[in-house]
Amino acid sequence: MQVECPITTTPLERRGSAASERLRAARVLGAALAQLQARSRVSLRDAACRTGLTPSDTVRILSGAHVPPWPVVHLLTRAFQGDPAELRVLWECSRGQVHSPRMSAEGAAGDLAAALRGLHLAAGCPPLDQLAHGDVLSAAAAGLILAGRLLPDWPATARLASALGGRPSDVYVLWQEVHSTVIALYGSFPPPREPGPPLTDVPNRKDP
């Protein structure tokens, strides 16, 4: 009987894979910042003045060639009139960091929606109908997920991340956090509720 040997990787191969993932995430982060810069029409020179960077450093960041500390990304995002929360997870991926868990269902869901909006921004904000995929994800559902008004299951989340040029692994920890938090608080996923109000209006604990 033929027995298949498990595929193993060496520590060097694992380090190389992790470095490759950080480079990919750096390019995604840079693309998101470049989209914000183009949308805001703030010149690179003005952005550099506002953040204390040189114009050449700003270009390197927006090209994905350099990933600065989070305070610099925060300042650049603000300079380009963007929401830093939407770029936080992209920055964490580019640094190989693990996202810090939230304690509330709405906080975890907000982090997931913000991360997906960051991918949407980095992809150039494609129309919703380009993100749809059969019964897994409709255009309307994609819009609600990005707006933070719909808790997606994993197939829809993975499809949306992939359609936006990211990898499902970029947001899996966030989705898992939302799923486990909602199950713990409400006993089911998604939680029982009437459609309509924003997700942030949902209480963060079970009723007694």
Side-chain angles (χ1 to χ4, degrees), residues 6 83 118 129 179 197:
D83 180 1
D129 57 0
H179 183 268

Side-chain angles (χ1 to χ4, degrees), residues 85-134:
E86 296 179 356
L87 274 65
R88 176 72 194 195
V89 170
L90 302 184
W91 176 82
E92 289 174 350
C93 289
S94 69
R95 302 281 286 217
Q97 296 185 4
V98 178
H99 179 73
S100 301
R102 293 290 196 120
M103 298 302 294
S104 65
E106 65 269 25
D111 287 347
L112 175 61
L116 290 168
R117 287 196 298 273
L119 288 174
H120 187 243
L121 179 65
C125 300
L128 298 178
D129 57 0
Q130 292 185 11
L131 308 178
H133 183 72

Side-chain angles (χ1 to χ4, degrees), residues 2-175:
Q2 184 178 3
V3 179
E4 292 185 4
C5 296
I7 298 175
T8 59
T9 58
T10 66
L12 181 60
E13 288 172 330
R14 287 194 292 272
R15 287 196 296 272
S17 177
S20 177
E21 280 298 297
R22 289 196 296 272
L23 288 173
R24 179 192 63 83
R27 289 193 294 269
V28 174
L29 174 63
L33 287 167
Q35 284 290 328
L36 285 176
Q37 188 264 332
R39 182 187 300 177
S40 68
R41 297 185 179 180
V42 174
S43 71
L44 293 178
R45 185 174 297 277
D46 286 345
C49 290
R50 297 181 192 184
T51 56
L53 298 168
T54 65
S56 61
D57 283 341
T58 306
V59 169
R60 292 181 66 229
I61 293 169
L62 269 61
S63 69
H66 173 62
V67 178
W70 172 244
V72 175
V73 176
H74 189 284
L75 285 172
L76 275 174
T77 306
R78 287 296 190 194
F80 297 145
Q81 302 166 21
D83 180 1
E86 296 179 356
L87 274 65
R88 176 72 194 195
V89 170
L90 302 184
W91 176 82
E92 289 174 350
C93 289
S94 69
R95 302 281 286 217
Q97 296 185 4
V98 178
H99 179 73
S100 301
R102 293 290 196 120
M103 298 302 294
S104 65
E106 65 269 25
D111 287 347
L112 175 61
L116 290 168
R117 287 196 298 273
L119 288 174
H120 187 243
L121 179 65
C125 300
L128 298 178
D129 57 0
Q130 292 185 11
L131 308 178
H133 183 72
D135 295 334
V136 175
L137 181 68
S138 68
L144 290 172
I145 293 168
L146 290 171
R149 297 178 64 90
L150 177 66
L151 288 176
D153 59 17
W154 175 242
T157 305
R159 165 60 195 178
L160 184 54
S162 297
L164 293 172
R167 294 190 179 179
S169 58
D170 293 339
V171 294
Y172 179 70
V173 171
L174 290 169
W175 180 86

